[in-house]
Amino acid sequence: MENQVKHQTKEEYVADFLREGIISGQFPRGSKLKQAQIAEMIGTSITPVREAIKLLEAEGFILGTSHRGAIVAPFDINATEEITDLRITLECKLGVKALSRLTSQDIEELRSLQDQIEAAAARNDKEAVRTINYRFHELIYIAAELPQTLRFVRALWARYPFDLINRLDNRIDRASQEHRDMLNAVISRDETAFLQALRSHIRSAWDEFKASYTE
């Protein structure tokens, strides 16, 4: 798996692979995660997979049951309004902190990711857009060097319906433009523009989903 994020351990690498897979919809909500299959997919032993699953269970991406094994956590519509508000607060905190810390190499990586998002949106590849969206945000937020805040944000992502939102008509095209607005603000180091773009990106996605959601 290609990824822009640097990993310190095998467990962290596997955990990021699983987070990305859950957010992208590669591992659907409610599905069972098979450790041996995951280990084979990424060419590692069972041990780091087992440890990564424990980490993601603590973050809320996975529900662990002694009999059924690890299950991808389901979506809870009733919690998502609050989750959206918390995402805006915490992700804006990370983004502002990161803005002055992003290196020229980071910005080049963000440019590359934006090109990939636009190409994926043009071919209507919704799974690819979700995956690249995750990498784009992770790259920015890691630069903030606020690991506890990032941990809380990941816990919120675990319960957020990225997969369902990206099924909305033309949502990936709008998301692509929202990322372009964020990237432009990053390049110019414009904090006000960045916060406006990030808030709009998070809030508009949820508002569009709410307007279309039926039980």
Side-chain angles (χ1 to χ4, degrees):
M1 178 188 71
E2 294 182 4
N3 205 320
Q4 306 294 334
V5 181
K6 297 179 178 64
H7 303 273
Q8 295 180 342
T9 67
K10 288 182 180 179
E11 290 80 3
E12 289 170 347
Y13 177 86
V14 176
D16 203 60
F17 173 80
L18 291 173
R19 279 191 209 98
E20 188 175 288
I22 291 168
I23 287 173
S24 73
Q26 180 183 0
F27 303 114
R29 295 179 181 279
S31 64
K32 183 175 180 178
L33 296 176
K34 299 177 181 179
Q35 294 184 19
Q37 185 179 55
I38 293 166
E40 183 178 352
M41 287 172 69
I42 55 181
T44 189
S45 66
I46 289 288
T47 300
V49 175
R50 185 182 300 119
E51 295 304 311
I53 285 174
K54 289 179 183 177
L55 176 60
L56 266 67
E57 184 179 350
E59 291 179 354
F61 282 91
I62 291 170
L63 304 178
T65 61
S66 57
H67 300 296
R68 293 186 61 201
I71 307 295
V72 178
F75 161 59
D76 180 1
I77 183 71
N78 297 316
T80 310
E81 184 72 47
E82 182 180 5
I83 288 169
T84 300
D85 290 340
L86 288 169
R87 280 193 62 200
I88 291 170
T89 298
L90 295 180
E91 292 184 44
C92 284
K93 178 181 177 69
L94 288 169
V96 167
K97 190 75 170 180
L99 205 56
S100 63
R101 294 171 179 256
L102 288 162
T103 66
S104 58
Q105 182 180 350
D106 291 331
I107 291 174
E108 285 308 305
E109 290 179 2
L110 288 171
R111 288 181 190 271
S112 174
L113 290 170
Q114 180 60 29
D115 289 343
Q116 293 172 47
I117 288 174
E118 292 175 4
R123 64 178 185 268
N124 199 35
D125 188 341
K126 296 180 179 181
E127 183 174 322
V129 169
R130 288 194 299 271
T131 299
I132 303 162
N133 173 79
Y134 167 76
R135 296 177 185 177
F136 187 98
H137 286 268
E138 273 273 299
L139 196 158
I140 294 172
Y141 299 158
I142 286 173
E145 297 182 2
L146 295 173
Q148 302 307 315
T149 305
L150 181 55
R151 185 175 300 172
F152 281 115
V153 166
R154 286 173 174 162
L156 296 172
W157 287 349
R159 303 182 65 192
Y160 192 77
F162 291 101
D163 51 339
L164 303 179
I165 286 171
N166 272 30
R167 294 177 191 170
L168 297 174
D169 289 344
N170 301 316
R171 176 59 207 160
I172 59 174
D173 296 312
R174 292 188 292 274
S176 175
Q177 181 57 54
E178 290 159 7
H179 277 88
R180 172 61 65 183
D181 293 340
M182 283 188 281
L183 176 59
N184 289 339
V186 166
I187 292 169
S188 61
R189 309 285 184 177
D190 187 332
E191 181 178 314
T192 300
F194 178 81
L195 288 174
Q196 181 178 350
L198 179 56
R199 289 191 187 106
S200 176
H201 176 56
I202 297 172
R203 174 55 63 186
S204 63
W206 173 236
D207 287 345
E208 289 174 30
F209 181 73
K210 272 195 307 182
S212 68
Y213 182 76
T214 55
E215 295 284 352

